[in-house]
Amino acid sequence: MEEIMLALKNIQKDIDEQKSEIRKSADKVTERVTQNINKILDEKLTKLQVQQDQLKEKLDNQEKRIYFLEKQARQRNVVFFGIEEKESSYDNLQNNIYSFIKKYFSTDIELRDIQELRRVGKKGDRPRPIIATFSTLGIKINIMKQRGLLKDTQYYVKEDYPLQVLEKRRELQEQVKIEKEKGNNARIKYDKLIILKTNNKRSLPTSPENTTTAESQSKNNTNTQVYKKNRTQKPNKPIQRSNSMTEGVIKPSMLNFLVNKNINNTTTEQKDDTKETNI
């Protein structure tokens, strides 16, 4: 009986060890499977991220192109405000705009120069604005330059901006008010804010001592420049022999040395002059 119990204990022990090994192997398998799944998911997510970045870049490029095309399409447009809405046809609207431009603007324009006209917005009590497209950019520029002629009237004209630019300009209006309260000259140019800061500092008067010092410095600088100029333009003087016995006779070797020295000095000064000219 004891042998049977001992055998059973050994069998139970073996079973427990096998269970432990199975659990360990199962954990290892689970860990490996998890690692492989995570690796596969990371690779797929990386590919998806790359594709998303590429699509985002393409979308940004498309938006830039659409913005550029819209900007180009509105480049020759002018928006007229306050013109009475009494036309019954497109021809009447075209004739009204033509007569309006001839009356208030000194612009050489023909009826064929008005390429397209349309009113925008919902019809109500107030006349809707008119967007006019002209055949050339020069006509639009001339009208915008003369918009001050409508100052004392109920009419006014504006640029035809894309929707993005209009939203940006509305946001910049608050900054313009803040800068003007600070005393700065601020204005909006298309979709950018331009700030011209005012300089209230006065230039201090110069004292006689400072004036005298400045004049003396300028004179010294002038003298130095003249000296340098004369030095650089100084011709090579020929070496003369002395007839006096006390001075001695100049040997040919010494004469060559003096000549070579003068030539080297002249070459060095010419190089310096060339460097100053290049600078």
Side-chain angles (χ1 to χ4, degrees):
M1 189 69 181
E2 292 179 357
E3 293 178 356
I4 294 171
M5 293 298 294
L6 182 62
L8 290 173
K9 287 181 179 179
N10 291 331
I11 292 170
Q12 185 66 35
K13 184 178 180 181
D14 292 337
I15 292 171
D16 292 337
E17 290 178 354
Q18 289 177 1
K19 285 182 179 180
S20 178
E21 290 178 359
I22 291 171
R23 288 174 182 173
K24 289 180 180 178
S25 61
D27 292 337
K28 289 180 180 180
V29 170
T30 304
E31 185 178 358
R32 289 178 182 177
V33 170
T34 304
Q35 290 177 354
N36 292 331
I37 292 173
N38 290 334
K39 184 178 180 181
I40 294 170
L41 290 175
D42 290 338
E43 291 177 355
K44 289 185 177 180
L45 287 174
T46 302
K47 291 181 180 179
L48 290 174
Q49 185 66 37
V50 172
Q51 292 177 357
Q52 183 181 1
D53 293 339
Q54 292 176 352
L55 290 174
K56 185 178 179 181
E57 185 178 359
K58 289 181 180 179
L59 181 62
D60 292 339
N61 292 332
Q62 291 295 334
E63 288 180 353
K64 289 179 181 179
R65 291 177 183 175
I66 292 172
Y67 174 75
F68 177 76
L69 291 174
E70 187 177 3
K71 183 180 177 181
Q72 290 294 111
R74 298 172 184 264
Q75 190 176 16
R76 293 177 284 111
N77 292 357
V78 176
V79 185
F80 293 86
F81 293 87
I83 297 178
E84 294 79 3
E85 193 170 354
K86 297 179 179 179
E87 67 276 358
S88 59
S89 64
Y90 182 82
D91 291 336
N92 291 338
L93 178 61
Q94 190 175 18
N95 291 328
N96 290 340
I97 287 292
Y98 177 73
S99 301
F100 179 83
I101 294 173
K102 282 290 187 181
K103 181 179 179 181
Y104 291 98
F105 299 95
S106 59
T107 302
D108 189 11
I109 186 175
E110 299 294 336
L111 193 62
R112 61 177 178 270
D113 292 326
I114 303 174
Q115 189 173 355
E116 184 183 358
L117 293 170
R118 68 182 186 276
R119 287 190 182 269
V120 292
K122 294 182 179 180
K123 194 171 183 179
D125 297 334
R126 296 182 179 180
R128 293 176 295 171
I130 301 172
I131 297 178
T133 304
F134 296 99
S135 59
T136 63
L137 182 61
I139 297 174
K140 178 258 186 83
I141 292 173
N142 290 333
I143 291 175
M144 295 305 298
K145 284 182 177 179
Q146 300 176 29
R147 57 187 172 183
L149 299 174
L150 302 175
K151 184 176 180 181
D152 297 330
T153 64
Q154 63 178 355
Y155 312 109
Y156 60 96
V157 295
K158 285 187 176 182
E159 293 270 0
D160 185 19
Y161 297 112
L163 182 60
Q164 297 176 355
V165 178
L166 287 174
E167 292 177 353
K168 185 67 175 178
R169 289 174 67 88
R170 291 192 191 100
E171 293 175 359
L172 294 176
Q173 287 293 340
E174 297 296 329
Q175 297 183 11
V176 171
K177 292 180 181 178
I178 294 172
E179 293 298 330
K180 287 185 176 180
E181 289 176 357
K182 292 180 181 179
N184 297 327
N185 185 9
R187 60 188 179 90
I188 301 174
K189 186 175 182 181
Y190 201 70
D191 59 347
K192 294 181 180 179
L193 178 65
I194 299 175
I195 301 173
L196 301 176
K197 294 185 178 181
T198 56
N199 188 8
N200 297 325
K201 294 182 179 180
R202 296 182 180 179
S203 58
L204 297 175
T206 55
S207 61
E209 294 179 359
N210 294 332
T211 305
T212 306
T213 305
E215 290 178 356
S216 61
Q217 288 179 356
S218 62
K219 287 181 180 180
N220 292 332
N221 292 332
T222 305
N223 294 331
T224 304
Q225 292 177 358
V226 172
Y227 174 74
K228 288 182 178 179
K229 185 175 181 182
N230 293 332
R231 184 181 176 187
T232 55
Q233 296 180 355
K234 183 178 179 181
N236 294 330
K237 292 183 179 180
I239 299 175
Q240 298 178 355
R241 291 179 180 238
S242 176
N243 294 325
S244 174
M245 296 298 293
T246 57
E247 294 179 359
V249 179
I250 299 176
K251 295 182 181 180
S253 60
M254 190 174 222
L255 180 61
N256 292 332
F257 171 76
L258 293 173
V259 172
N260 291 332
K261 186 176 181 181
N262 289 330
I263 291 172
N264 291 331
N265 290 333
T266 306
T267 306
T268 304
E269 291 174 357
Q270 291 177 354
K271 289 180 178 179
D272 292 338
D273 292 340
T274 306
K275 290 180 180 178
E276 292 177 359
T277 305
N278 293 330
I279 292 172

